[in-house]
Amino acid sequence: MAAARTSTTISLPLASRLTTAVFSLMLGVFIVYGVGLSHSETMHDTAHDTRHSYGFPCH
């Protein structure tokens, strides 16, 4: 005998969904234009400094 399956959905208010959508859109735009079009040396230096701030040696 198969067990009955029930599904539940979570209803989110429109304001919450719009806030999430706008935040996701801004993050996507930053990733594409802010990171994708930046100089590679700038991104390397940023990653390098972040790695050192966490205490990981890199060279």
Side-chain angles (χ1 to χ4, degrees):
M1 181 182 274
R5 297 179 88 181
T6 59
S7 64
T8 58
T9 58
I10 298 173
S11 178
L12 294 174
L14 179 62
S16 178
R17 288 184 284 164
L18 286 176
T19 301
T20 303
V22 168
F23 178 76
S24 299
L25 179 67
M26 291 174 65
L27 180 62
V29 167
F30 171 74
I31 289 172
V32 170
Y33 291 106
V35 175
L37 299 177
S38 68
H39 296 286
S40 61
E41 184 177 328
T42 302
M43 291 309 298
H44 172 79
D45 290 343
T46 303
H48 187 242
D49 293 344
T50 302
R51 186 175 174 103
H52 279 293
S53 71
Y54 288 143
F56 292 111
C58 59
H59 48 81

